[in-house]
Amino acid sequence: MSKYPTIGESLRHQGISRRDFLKFCTAVASILALPAAMIPKIAEALESTPRQSAIWLSFQECTGCTESLTRSHAPTLEGLIFDLISLDYHHTLQAAAGTAAESAREAAMQGNKGNYLVIVDGSIPLGNPGYSTIAGISNVDMLKEVVAGAKAVVAVGTCAAYGGIPHAAPNPTGAVSVDSLITDKPIINIPGCPPIPLVIAGVVAHFVTFGQLPNLDSLKRPHSFFGQTIHDRCYRRPFYDKGLFAETFDDEGAKQGWCLYKLGCKGPVTYNACATTKWNDGVSFPIESGHGCLGCSEPNFWDAGGFYKPLSVPINGVIKATTGYALAAGAAVGAASGALNRLKRSQARQNHETVTITDLERNQK
Amino acid sequence: MNYIEFLLWVRGPAFQIAIAVFVFGISLRLLEILLLGRSPEYAAPRGSAVRGGFRTLLTRTMSEESIFRRAPLLIIAGYVFHLGLFIVILLLVPHILVFKDLLGFSWSGLPTPIIDAVAVITLLALFILLIYRIKHPVLRFLSTSQDYFAWLITFLPLLTGYMAYHHMINPYPVILGLHILSVEILMVFFPFTKLMHAFTLVMARWYNGANAGHKGVQA
């Protein structure tokens, strides 16, 4: 095997058969909503392209995104992502530590200048650079330095895409998303807490095959995975339409698998592929396990009024107080206005002059 | 502001403003009206004020036959859209959840496709009434800009709700947010337009009926 093996070589080295490889290409074409005619093209591109150099930066995160990727059982599609890329730096997964690790990053940046992919998980604190540093370098500095020579940036997970938990009110670290700092490079968001590993694999495969990122929506997410809501593809949708809802997590409705809307499911406003690709090798997804969707692939999902509050319900907890004050203020102004009206009436009564016949006759002349 | 921030804004601060204005306006106007009081009744009673009150409550809710024959479409469309509004507002499950959150109690709703059909009928009835208002020379003459405005802010929540249910605008949170926003606009203007009749019609009818009843008038 050469120093920079192609993806095909690397896969064969791992004992992946040609049949499995083509199956993978077919699956990639299908999940990216590409026509079947593209399968040979994908296969050819993956076969002949050297593995894409990638630098993985972890900032304010919980490592859940990495866990989600690495816990997927080989040789699933998700597992193959590591064969598509040459992961030159990932401080959780790499063997090197300290200076050696940082030199690996610098070597990759110089060796593949202008061509490497930057994958980011975690948000970036702007409140104080000391809140999160790696090798003494603040997150914002490292991001800007590494992205400067990158071909594209992939923001993996809700923290990198929108700020996530660190960004939730009151946002003590001043956490921001990747795309609020980087504006001069192509960026793709793959949100989710954690994101679906297959989506990461699909996006990387698309990038390797076509040399560019797939089509994105207004939140910079790939259309092919984030084009429909969880609700659109939910197997419990017929119960929603019939008006059959679980009222609690253990009532008869819940046992019958009825819709979880009343229990706070955010499926109707959440764009993601969970309902179709599912999790854990296609076993299930949260709603199938009996819990409503939290809306983890949408911005600000931590501040959306509570996971167990229905979607239609107002968010604020101080509505009762507001209503009370408004009622009192309205009553006060109403009483003042009523008093004013009474005053006017009594004044009118006082100023009232009796008109006699003689007055009228005088007026006529 | 992305679409989720918009949705969170209409569900949060905007709703708070709307409900504050709504409650403020309703309590202000009701108190203002009630404090006007009633003028002293000098005439000897010739009938029961209570019976007169109840009778007028009923008769003003039903349509006089001769009037009905003159404009049946107007009256039917009027009934239909009022009933439709009640059904759509009070019997759609997501709406009931809002009332449950605000009032602390709830009731059972209807399946969404039924509400959907009622919404279409209500929209049509409102549309017929608008055309009638524009086409009929006398009605057009009597109409002020407030009449058209009140029509619009009643029509929009229905229209956006229908569009939200059918995902006519994507992404869905945009149309859901617009629907909630249209209701908030309705709430803000409700106490200060003729829409206030929802709160005053019972006491107004009672007042007229009780007056007539006291005087022995067969109204």
Side-chain angles (χ1 to χ4, degrees):
Chain A
M1 220 159 62
S2 62
K3 193 186 168 198
Y4 294 107
T6 66
I7 293 165
E9 282 173 343
S10 160
L11 288 174
R12 272 192 293 281
H13 182 71
Q14 308 253 337
I16 309 279
S17 69
R18 171 114 190 121
R19 185 186 176 82
D20 283 339
F21 174 65
L22 286 175
K23 265 183 169 172
F24 171 68
C25 296
T26 309
V28 165
S30 125
I31 56 173
L32 288 168
L34 296 171
M38 293 305 291
I39 298 167
K41 197 177 171 194
I42 295 170
E44 198 188 316
L46 295 183
E47 191 82 64
S48 56
T49 317
R51 290 161 77 205
Q52 172 69 45
S53 167
I55 296 177
W56 186 303
L57 300 175
S58 297
F59 297 141
Q60 290 193 129
E61 43 82 44
C62 67
T63 317
C65 298
T66 302
E67 286 283 346
S68 158
L69 257 178
T70 53
R71 293 286 174 99
S72 41
H73 307 276
T76 58
L77 294 179
E78 299 94 295
L80 285 167
I81 184 195
F82 294 110
D83 297 309
L84 294 177
I85 58 172
S86 158
L87 197 56
D88 294 330
Y89 177 82
H90 185 309
H91 65 223
T92 308
L93 297 180
Q94 71 194 137
T99 317
E102 294 311 305
S103 334
R105 176 171 62 83
E106 279 153 19
M109 280 165 65
Q110 273 152 21
N112 303 293
K113 203 171 164 82
N115 283 316
Y116 59 85
L117 205 59
V118 176
I119 303 176
V120 185
D121 68 330
S123 64
I124 302 102
L126 295 183
N128 179 334
Y131 283 142
S132 176
T133 63
I134 299 155
I137 306 167
S138 76
N139 288 170
V140 60
D141 287 346
M142 185 177 278
L143 178 71
K144 286 190 171 159
E145 185 196 339
V146 176
V147 165
K151 194 170 182 190
V153 183
V154 184
V156 165
T158 298
C159 295
Y162 317 124
I165 307 183
H167 178 78
N171 190 1
T173 64
V176 296
S177 63
V178 172
D179 73 349
S180 61
L181 292 171
I182 307 296
T183 46
D184 56 345
K185 297 279 176 186
I187 295 185
I188 187 166
N189 285 332
I190 306 178
C193 194
I196 300 174
L198 186 62
V199 180
I200 306 175
V203 166
V204 172
H206 188 282
F207 188 75
V208 169
T209 309
F210 301 102
Q212 60 182 33
L213 297 172
N215 278 342
L216 306 181
D217 67 7
S218 66
L219 292 171
K220 301 193 180 78
R221 300 175 296 197
H223 257 310
S224 42
F225 294 100
F226 295 88
Q228 282 176 312
T229 63
I230 300 294
H231 188 63
D232 287 335
R233 304 303 300 264
C234 183
Y235 75 106
R236 297 198 189 205
R237 177 65 183 269
F239 295 114
Y240 173 86
D241 291 333
K242 279 183 200 155
L244 297 173
F245 299 94
E247 303 284 338
T248 62
F249 284 109
D250 58 354
D251 69 357
E252 201 45 45
K255 283 171 195 159
Q256 299 288 326
W258 290 356
C259 178
L260 301 169
Y261 185 92
K262 285 188 174 179
L263 294 168
C265 181
K266 304 296 183 292
V269 295
T270 306
Y271 287 82
N272 208 340
C274 302
T276 39
T277 60
K278 302 198 178 177
W279 286 84
N280 298 326
D281 214 4
V283 170
S284 68
F285 71 113
I287 293 172
E288 208 169 339
S289 317
H291 194 286
C293 168
L294 302 181
C296 77
S297 57
E298 296 297 324
N300 303 329
F301 82 101
W302 295 96
D303 298 323
F307 294 151
Y308 302 101
K309 265 205 166 185
L311 185 61
S312 59
V313 165
I315 289 175
N316 246 310
V318 289
I319 279 174
K320 275 196 183 114
T322 312
T323 315
Y325 287 130
L327 192 72
V333 179
S337 166
L340 209 66
N341 285 337
R342 274 170 186 259
L343 192 71
K344 254 193 222 165
R345 192 156 54 177
S346 69
Q347 270 173 355
R349 228 174 253 144
Q350 270 175 13
N351 297 337
H352 179 75
E353 289 175 18
T354 317
V355 180
T356 61
I357 297 282
T358 23
D359 291 335
L360 291 173
E361 279 174 343
R362 198 181 304 138
N363 284 346
Q364 266 182 348
K365 281 169 196 169
Chain B
M1 184 186 265
N2 62 46
Y3 61 76
I4 286 286
E5 282 163 349
F6 169 63
L7 180 64
L8 295 186
W9 180 74
V10 295
R11 286 178 63 206
F15 186 84
Q16 205 171 347
I17 294 167
I19 197 151
V21 175
F22 179 78
V23 170
F24 171 83
I26 299 290
S27 81
L28 160 69
R29 299 230 24 212
L30 281 182
L31 207 68
E32 207 178 35
I33 293 167
L34 291 172
L35 285 179
L36 283 175
R38 298 175 62 164
S39 42
E41 195 63 76
Y42 297 116
R46 287 192 186 146
S48 162
V50 176
R51 261 171 56 194
F54 274 119
R55 193 175 53 227
T56 307
L57 264 186
L58 191 73
T59 54
R60 294 285 158 89
T61 308
M62 312 299 278
S63 169
E64 178 87 7
E65 207 193 324
S66 60
I67 296 171
F68 180 79
R69 248 186 265 127
R70 277 169 66 181
L73 186 67
L74 183 73
I75 286 158
I76 291 172
Y79 276 114
V80 165
F81 105 78
H82 275 96
L83 277 173
L85 278 179
F86 277 117
I87 293 170
V88 171
I89 294 170
L90 297 176
L91 295 178
L92 179 70
V93 171
H95 294 170
I96 296 170
L97 294 173
V98 178
F99 289 112
K100 187 183 179 188
D101 192 66
L102 294 174
L103 305 172
F105 57 89
S106 69
W107 48 90
S108 50
L110 287 176
T112 322
I114 296 176
I115 303 285
D116 185 42
V118 174
V120 173
I121 295 166
T122 312
L123 280 166
L124 282 174
L126 272 168
F127 207 70
I128 288 169
L129 288 173
L130 179 71
I131 292 176
Y132 200 93
R133 187 182 281 282
I134 294 168
K135 289 273 178 194
H136 196 282
V138 177
L139 203 55
R140 186 174 60 219
F141 177 74
L142 291 171
S143 298
T144 63
S145 52
Q146 201 209 90
D147 291 316
Y148 294 104
F149 182 69
W151 181 91
L152 183 71
I153 58 175
T154 312
F155 188 78
L156 283 180
L158 268 169
L159 182 70
T160 51
Y162 177 80
M163 289 172 81
Y165 176 63
H166 290 280
H167 289 230
M168 284 179 174
I169 291 178
N170 277 315
Y172 174 74
V174 171
I175 185 64
L176 179 63
L178 286 174
H179 173 58
I180 298 172
L181 185 65
S182 69
V183 176
E184 286 159 359
I185 292 170
L186 177 71
M187 284 164 75
V188 165
F189 288 104
F190 198 98
F192 310 108
T193 55
K194 66 171 187 175
L195 298 173
M196 185 66 192
H197 75 271
F199 286 85
T200 53
L201 93 163
V202 171
M203 63 181 185
R205 282 173 190 174
W206 175 272
Y207 183 80
N208 286 338
N211 254 351
H214 180 86
K215 291 171 184 161
V217 178
Q218 293 292 322

